[in-house]
Amino acid sequence: RLPGGFVSLDCSRPWICYWTTHAMYLLNEELSSGEIGRIVSNLGHMQHPDGGFGGGPGQIPHAAPNYAAVLSLCSIGSEQALDLIDRNGMYKWFLSLKCGKTGGIAMHVDGEVDTRSTYTVLCVAQLLNILTPELASGTAEYVLACQTYEGGFGGEPGNEAHGG
């Protein structure tokens, strides 16, 4: 249970799960079966019928909280946690995010296309063994188009180099 002030992070529930589960994993601390059940159940309410996870129940699937949800479930690593992930649905959703013109991948349907969304989708696809040539097509070229004259990378082509 979290204090009431966390209400402002309602659309970040998968991130709270990730920060908690990953910290426990790094500390080599085990979650109880009850804690695992609550986390899996909570994330299950955030999985959209289209395959990805949203930031909270009833929210559209979005690449950032999807990344956090999948990493949380993989950090837990139990059969219950891993079975929650709809890999087929997620793959179809990922393909719907592809920008054929640039090779980049959007954060959500009709959302912004940038290096962060492209990274989170490719990372999850690799982790779930659903990264295919079709999904990866054009992404290397997109990322290279985001590289600036000084060697860094911007979030989008033409942006200043910013954080990697």
Side-chain angles (χ1 to χ4, degrees):
R1 302 241 175 244
L2 298 172
F6 281 87
V7 162
S8 65
L9 294 174
D10 185 58
C11 64
S12 298
R13 289 183 190 190
W15 284 108
I16 294 169
C17 290
Y18 172 67
W19 296 326
T20 304
T21 58
H22 192 64
M24 297 292 283
Y25 176 81
L26 290 174
L27 294 170
N28 204 26
E29 294 289 329
E30 290 193 29
L31 296 165
S32 71
S33 61
E35 290 166 331
I36 289 171
R38 285 196 306 276
I39 292 168
V40 172
S41 174
N42 194 357
L43 291 173
H45 293 296
M46 295 173 221
Q47 188 164 238
H48 193 272
D50 288 348
F53 290 86
Q59 296 179 19
I60 64 167
H62 188 282
N66 184 73
Y67 174 83
V70 170
L71 291 181
S72 296
L73 295 166
C74 289
S75 289
I76 291 170
S78 71
E79 188 174 332
Q80 176 191 20
L82 299 175
D83 283 349
L84 176 65
I85 303 168
D86 176 6
R87 286 173 173 77
N88 291 330
M90 191 168 298
Y91 180 74
K92 289 175 188 168
W93 173 61
F94 283 169
L95 287 177
S96 77
L97 301 178
K98 284 283 293 180
C99 179
K101 185 191 284 187
T102 68
I105 301 173
M107 273 295 191
H108 56 83
V109 173
D110 296 327
E112 68 274 25
V113 177
D114 57 29
T115 52
R116 137 192 92 119
S117 54
T118 302
Y119 168 79
T120 59
V121 167
L122 293 179
C123 180
V124 168
Q126 176 67 33
L127 189 60
L128 299 179
N129 199 26
I130 58 173
L131 182 58
T132 64
E134 182 181 18
L135 183 58
S137 173
T139 57
E141 293 81 5
Y142 174 75
V143 172
L144 286 173
C146 296
Q147 189 170 27
T148 64
Y149 69 92
E150 70 268 354
F153 290 86
E156 299 173 344
N159 286 171
E160 69 175 319
H162 184 73

